[in-house]
Amino acid sequence: MQQQYKRLILLPQKDKSVLRKHPWIFSGALQKTSIQLEEGEIVEVFSSKSEFLCVGFWQDASIAVKVLSFEKEKIDYKFILERVQQAVSYRKSLGFFNNPNSNIFRLINAEGDFMPSLIADYYNGLVVLQFHSVGMLKLKNEIVEALKESLGEDCKAIFSKSSSTLPKHVADCDGFLYGELNPEWYAMENGLSFKIDYSQGQKTGFFIDQRVNRELVKTLSNQRNVLNAFSYTGGFSLAAIQGGANKVLSLDISKRAVELCEENVRKNFADNTTHQALAVDVLEYLDNVKKGEFDLIILDPPAFAKHNRNLNQALKGYRQINQKAMEKIAKGGFLFTFSCSQAVSREDFGTMLFSCAAITNRRIRIVQRLPHAMDHPQSIFHPEGEYLKGFLLQVE
Ligand code: SAH
């Protein structure tokens, strides 16, 4: 095949991770070049022995190339359509499209669907796209067409929500790329209706990676007093109410999140009197919680470490909240605790929990290591894709 794209060459001995199909190439692995490249431009990467390795897009960052294919192929509409169709048929085969009780799921999970830097979340016919690199953004039109073609009637509209995930110099406004919907958009998760704030909310509007963990909260909530810390729009709180909790307290620092949480509770449980939501800082509030007041606590904070360099600071934050929760939780209580920082490994997180448990001096057991759901597959060659780490602990 003819040369399609500009070539980048790796330094000697730097091809191991690409040969193992890791989808990122770091700038330090590349030979210096005088070739002028545009941000996001498609490039071919070769070994120092001139062997073809992969096609990807280039970026002026420490991850210099994100790999789209390990085959020598053209990155065109046909290529994108194939990838999108694969992502859609995987979810179809798991029954995600035919479940009126749960019509919120991840449609494209970046590297986990072999489309680095692209997230597509599905909300009852609305697809919200989040581009994390200019290279993927350049393929926007192909992606939109491919989604329309693959989803047909299942796609009512496509919205891009990428202003916070793209570099500032890329002026890409958030907005509809196809169709248009009412700003009041609702979708279902585990039989509960949620308002999806797709234009102003966090991420793509909802934290859809916790669906299976919310189901588990539901099964353990009966007759319990539940504290949902970092509650956002109340995903876990509604699951706890649904599961028959005695009382549920939702805490979030964002007033808007608290309002949405209350709205979601009202919409699903009109007569509910057991739920309360407060706009407070969890780190401060936990000091006021009485020991034994709650026997099910959920800690699902934002990513404390956005980069490796913040790892220590992040672990300190996780330690602070987990230690307090372990101290305060009632005897026999369940603690759901999560980290969504990519830089914090499951091992780091487990070690931090171990040291909190040791300091607290209570008998603590690991009941389950909590997973991502099946709509968030991760490439086996890309361990960094496992960003959400969770543990269900029981405290005596
Ligand atoms: N558990 C939620 C997602 C949590 S996202 C769900 O299931 O949908 C993290 C949330 O933490 C955000 O809503 C953010 O507003 C909130 N937050 C960040 N720092 C906080 C703090 N110090 N105290 C309370 N809430 C905080």
Side-chain angles (χ1 to χ4, degrees):
M1 195 192 260
Q2 269 189 341
Q3 181 178 343
Q4 312 245 17
Y5 303 114
K6 291 177 192 162
R7 290 184 172 190
L8 293 176
I9 302 178
L10 292 185
L11 290 163
Q13 314 294 328
K14 290 286 185 191
D15 54 1
K16 284 201 186 65
S17 94
V18 190
L19 291 172
R20 274 191 244 120
K21 300 212 182 315
H22 194 286
W24 296 348
I25 297 175
F26 288 91
S27 57
L30 291 168
Q31 287 188 18
K32 293 231 169 327
T33 172
S34 53
I35 299 175
Q36 292 293 313
L37 290 167
E38 245 181 60
E39 180 79 7
E41 184 170 345
I42 305 283
V43 290
E44 292 179 348
V45 181
F46 284 73
S47 75
S48 58
K49 294 183 192 137
S50 302
E51 296 143 328
F52 169 85
L53 292 171
C54 61
V55 194
F57 53 80
W58 179 80
Q59 40 188 32
D60 187 12
S62 82
I63 301 171
V65 177
K66 288 200 173 174
V67 178
L68 290 163
S69 175
F70 293 95
E71 314 264 313
K72 201 165 178 12
E73 59 186 321
K74 199 170 169 192
I75 308 302
D76 55 7
Y77 180 63
K78 185 172 156 283
F79 172 88
I80 294 292
L81 180 63
E82 238 173 70
R83 290 279 155 107
V84 171
Q85 275 173 340
Q86 258 175 24
V88 170
S89 59
Y90 167 73
R91 274 110 186 137
K92 280 203 166 145
S93 73
L94 295 172
F96 279 105
F97 282 90
N98 288 322
N99 186 353
N101 272 331
S102 274
N103 50 28
I104 298 176
F105 54 91
R106 180 146 295 179
L107 197 51
I108 299 173
N109 191 35
E111 282 85 353
D113 282 292
F114 313 106
M115 301 186 83
S117 294
L118 180 66
I119 295 295
D121 286 343
Y122 189 86
Y123 297 106
N124 183 22
L126 164 67
V127 179
V128 182
L129 293 178
Q130 201 160 62
F131 296 94
H132 288 254
S133 291
V134 178
M136 253 310 156
L137 182 68
K138 288 191 164 178
L139 295 163
K140 180 170 79 178
N141 294 339
E142 287 82 354
I143 292 164
V144 169
E145 284 312 307
L147 281 167
K148 281 160 59 183
E149 190 172 337
S150 317
L151 292 172
E153 302 241 296
D154 288 320
C155 180
K156 297 186 179 78
I158 302 175
F159 187 85
S160 171
K161 185 171 184 302
S162 310
S163 54
S164 62
T165 54
L166 283 169
K168 297 243 173 331
H169 64 273
V170 187
D172 193 64
C173 296
D174 292 348
F176 282 98
L177 302 173
Y178 164 66
E180 196 148 337
L181 293 174
N182 195 324
E184 304 253 308
W185 193 245
Y186 294 88
M188 299 288 288
E189 183 187 84
N190 299 331
L192 296 164
S193 167
F194 288 91
K195 184 169 176 181
I196 306 301
D197 190 5
Y198 60 84
S199 64
Q200 303 299 318
Q202 298 187 36
K203 301 267 181 143
T204 59
F206 193 62
F207 286 81
I208 69 176
D209 46 4
Q210 293 285 22
R211 184 180 56 255
V212 284
N213 298 321
R214 292 190 187 122
E215 276 209 276
L216 194 54
V217 163
K218 173 181 153 188
T219 62
L220 291 179
S221 291
N222 195 28
Q223 302 292 313
R224 290 191 181 265
N225 296 322
V226 177
L227 174 65
N228 181 14
F230 308 96
S231 49
Y232 187 49
T233 53
F236 283 111
S237 310
L238 271 75
I241 300 172
Q242 195 185 31
N246 262 344
K247 72 163 180 180
V248 180
L249 178 61
S250 303
L251 307 177
D252 200 286
I253 206 158
S254 149
K255 252 192 155 155
R256 183 168 168 76
V258 166
E259 279 164 17
L260 262 174
C261 174
E262 284 175 327
E263 201 180 318
N264 284 327
V265 171
R266 271 198 304 277
K267 182 149 194 278
N268 288 275
F269 308 98
D271 310 324
N272 179 275
T273 51
T274 58
H275 177 258
Q276 197 192 358
L278 301 175
V280 291
D281 185 335
V282 167
L283 282 88
E284 290 168 12
Y285 193 88
L286 282 176
D287 285 328
N288 305 326
V289 169
K290 288 195 216 71
K291 189 168 175 180
E293 194 179 341
F294 296 99
D295 52 6
L296 196 155
I297 299 183
I298 300 136
L299 296 177
D300 184 25
F304 285 158
K306 293 244 163 30
H307 300 284
N308 283 329
R309 60 178 180 275
N310 307 126
L311 181 62
N312 275 338
Q313 198 54 32
L315 286 170
K316 231 168 128 179
Y318 288 120
R319 192 169 298 126
Q320 201 180 341
I321 53 172
N322 281 283
Q323 198 176 312
K324 278 186 194 164
M326 285 179 192
E327 278 163 14
K328 303 276 169 120
I329 198 164
K331 191 166 158 29
F334 286 106
L335 173 60
F336 284 79
T337 180
F338 299 94
S339 159
C340 61
S341 304
Q342 203 174 60
V344 175
S345 68
R346 190 172 278 274
E347 203 186 344
D348 292 337
F349 193 57
T351 309
M352 178 280 302
L353 291 173
F354 169 85
S355 82
C356 293
I359 292 167
T360 317
N361 199 22
R362 294 185 70 175
R363 279 203 338 241
I364 298 181
R365 298 187 280 180
I366 297 173
V367 181
Q368 269 190 36
R369 288 169 175 81
L370 301 168
H372 279 272
M374 285 206 281
D375 49 337
H376 289 65
Q378 298 138 46
S379 162
I380 202 163
F381 308 111
H382 179 244
E384 296 86 346
E386 195 204 3
Y387 66 92
L388 182 67
K389 292 104 201 171
F391 285 84
L392 169 56
L393 304 177
Q394 197 229 10
V395 184
E396 287 298 337

